[in-house]
Amino acid sequence: MALLHSVAAVAHRLNFSKYLIVGHVNHGLRGKESEDDAAFVHKSANSLAIPCVIKSLNANEVEREAVRLGSREAAYRELRYSALRSVATQFGARYIMTAHTQDDQLETILHRLFRGTGPGGLAGMAKIRPLNDALTLARPLLNCDRHKIEEYLTAHKLDWREDSSNATLDYTRNRIRHTLVPVLDHLFPGHWTESILRLAQTSRDMETWAARDLDRMLAAGTAHSGESTIVELNVLSAESPFIVREFFRRIWQENSWPRREMGAGQWERLELMARGNGPARSEFPGGIVATRSQGKITLQPAK
């Protein structure tokens, strides 16, 4: 609601309101509450004379995606962004804006940290990220914490709705929010958030520094055949473990394979395969299979 109201205000001032569209994804997880959320979003958009498109997720599609990605949370996330991309494509929009806040950023980094991520994961969510050649994802509220968002809503007398599932401890992110964050607030009041955000910035700087070498290595050491990516292992032979793991992370990213379920152990297993250690065949989250043979590793979705 804060994002919608603030963007609508700027659009009205600059006379581009006619280019705004609201997209809402109904996950269907909370029955009537989910339906009421969708109705509330639709009414709010209409009050601002902005078109609103409601997309509902299909339960069977969610199940298939959960099997493919190895996680129900990942399935909902992937299908949510897919639905938003379809709305953007339908209207010819070039940007998707989401209302992720600084609190979301901190929870994301903590979640990735304990799962065993690398510098790319510790960088957190990007404020601006290309989704494809025609579409860019933007998170304009990423530097605002939840308290400031609620102050804005209250000051402008705006209503909002709370997702009741955010209060449960069924999801890892919720456990971080309700259990870990209060402990950090108590132990390091006013300090830990700044430290985590500095770590994220340092990680982004490292990513930028490493990207040049990785681009060169990917161009020289990979080939594509259908859905398969073939890695020439001689390109990696003299590289550090960190660079080898980042090399494979980039391959996962470029193929849009599920990275959120890939922890430190999986990236290390790939690095060991590249060194000629461990099994010659291994399967990873989302059904991605790696096979080592004759100085190459072939990566492809399981048939």
Side-chain angles (χ1 to χ4, degrees), residues 101-116:
T101 67
Q102 183 174 288
D103 297 68
D104 297 317
Q105 179 77 297
L106 291 165
E107 292 164 9
T108 295
I109 294 168
L110 289 171
H111 192 183
R112 293 176 179 177
L113 173 65
F114 294 118
R115 199 175 59 228

Side-chain angles (χ1 to χ4, degrees), residues 166-199:
N166 287 337
T168 73
L169 298 180
D170 294 340
Y171 303 104
T172 303
R173 179 179 287 272
N174 287 1
R175 292 194 290 273
I176 290 172
R177 179 181 306 154
H178 297 301
T179 304
L180 177 59
V181 167
V183 172
L184 293 173
D185 285 336
H186 175 72
L187 293 175
F188 310 103
H191 299 296
W192 76 269
T193 58
E194 293 178 8
S195 297
I196 293 291
L197 293 172
R198 277 198 301 270
L199 173 64

Side-chain angles (χ1 to χ4, degrees), residues 223-230 255 257 299-301 303:
H224 300 277
S225 176
E227 292 186 312
S228 301
T229 296
I230 302 162
N255 284 289
W257 292 337
L299 301 160
Q300 61 187 350
K303 301 299 183 184

